[in-house]
Amino acid sequence: MTEMKYANEINKRKSFAIIAHPDAGKTTLTEKFLLFGGAIQTAGAVKSNKIKKHTTSDFMEIERQRGISVATSVMTFEYRDILVNLLDTPGHKDFAEDTYRTLTAVDSVVLVIDCVKGVEEQTKKLMEVCRMRDTPVIIFVNKLDRDGKNPFDLLDELEELLNIRVRPLSWPISMGKDFKGVYNLYDKSFVSFAANRKATDEDIVPMPDLTSPQVDELFNTTDAAQLRNDVELIEGVYDPFDKQPYLEGKLAPVFFGSAVNNFGVKDLLDTFVEIAPVPRDREASTRTVKVGEDKFSGFIFKIHANLDPRHRDRIAFLRVCSGKFERNKYFHHVRLDKDVRFANPYNFLAREKNIIDDAYPGDVVGLFDTGNFKIGDTLTEGENFYFTGIPSFSPELFKELVNKDPMKTKQLEKGISQLTDEGVAQLFTQHNGNRKIIGCVGDLQFEVIQYRLLQEYGASCQFNSLPFYKACWITGPKQKLEDFIRFKSANVVEDKDGHLVYLAQSEWYLNTERANNPDIEFHFTSEIHK
């Protein structure tokens, strides 16, 4: 009975993240999705002198100034009777950790590629995280209104560099200033392109047979011949599209379009709601949690402080994994071993929040947090387990946090504690000392922390660079660790959870210590719950 009770709700939900290298057009694509879902009336642009409205999903002041996304935003909208939970992630490599963790909370991914630049460094890294979990991926090749790489070359590049088979489901007719539109291979229709104008239903021409004279009437002889050849080649080289390998993360369908012109986006969204996976079972520390179970469970994958600068609020983002989340009901906080309830749980449209009474697997719920939550925390109806596979990565840049205003020590302590709880950076404290060291994946992180400490907490600080190369979590027999700490006290720190971390000055030092201490294990990622 339980399975039946939830089956309808579960099958209505699809949650996915949009990922890409910076500037590939991720946030613009997010806006267009919201537009189709009726969630917003006009789409904004990230960088444009003509469009005065900023994007809905970039709501932090620093994001508007820089024209980049620095934090994942969560948005929910309805499209063709499917409830879509969309997470727009930061593309900048300095914020990769936020993106990696967001990927643990979604069931599938849309990867945006710039047709001019092709596959970039950050794209490869993001794809590796998807491969680790076999997350289903749909690829959107963006910016066809510019002259870019040959589509066939792009497909080869995707297969080779991203280590996944691809299958085009739409195909561009020319590109750049000669761009005519896209032929949909999935439902055999053509959508014509006109610059500076939205694609409407009138632009869609059914074209079941490419040999018909209608094709020659629509295009010039060269384009018609090219389209016929291309489609024949695609059908000859690529297997017919099969949903199963896509759901197993082995095959990526590819769409072509131009997000800023709202072009090719509807094809993508229509196919997405049809083929994307519904929420699935999840691995936990003691067993596999079935998505249709009666009992509620979920985990925190992101924490964001001061979403509304007027109210010093912290929101913890919860992904529901099983059962039903209910407002005002007591749930068990596994790490703290206490029961908590939430009077005002939210769903989101970026900064706009709506109070909800219940949520089902696949949904992302915002919970007001007074400091109870850390990333990776699990909520259940009494059972003790953790969801596994939420990574914490080894930082590569280290700076000492120096307080510039002793009168504001308390605000600085509180601010740095809350910001590092969000997972934007890692806080290390000198073993038996009070020196605070911040570790980040990228330099821009330090600027964001400094800016937010001043704006949100009124604390001014400076960062002094430290000559460390990598942080390694260390585990081993108690006596061996104590000896190691005694000899290396200047290089041993503790992370926020009290785990021991060795800061190596260089690769040579790291290799030497590993060779000299065979009983101690050095880890480059710390899974938040082992």
Side-chain angles (χ1 to χ4, degrees), residues 242-284:
D242 181 359
K243 192 171 159 181
Q244 200 46 43
Y246 156 69
L247 291 175
E248 289 166 7
K250 296 189 174 90
L251 176 77
V254 181
F255 289 86
F256 291 85
S258 161
V260 75
N261 291 297
N262 212 353
F263 195 78
V265 180
K266 190 172 184 298
D267 287 353
L268 172 64
L269 195 52
D270 285 343
T271 312
F272 170 81
V273 294
E274 198 176 311
I275 67 172
V278 294
R280 300 190 276 189
D281 302 344
R282 296 236 155 195
E283 285 305 317

Side-chain angles (χ1 to χ4, degrees), residues 15-19 103 106-111 127 129-139 164 241 243-253 272 275-278 280 282:
S15 63
F16 75 107
I18 295 194
I19 60 174
L103 290 178
V106 294
D107 301 302
S108 66
V109 159
V110 170
L111 172 65
M127 195 62 183
V129 179
C130 295
R131 312 254 18 89
M132 271 158 48
R133 312 175 63 83
D134 290 330
T135 309
V137 177
I138 294 179
I139 296 172
I164 192 166
F241 176 69
K243 192 171 159 181
Q244 200 46 43
Y246 156 69
L247 291 175
E248 289 166 7
K250 296 189 174 90
L251 176 77
F272 170 81
I275 67 172
V278 294
R280 300 190 276 189
R282 296 236 155 195

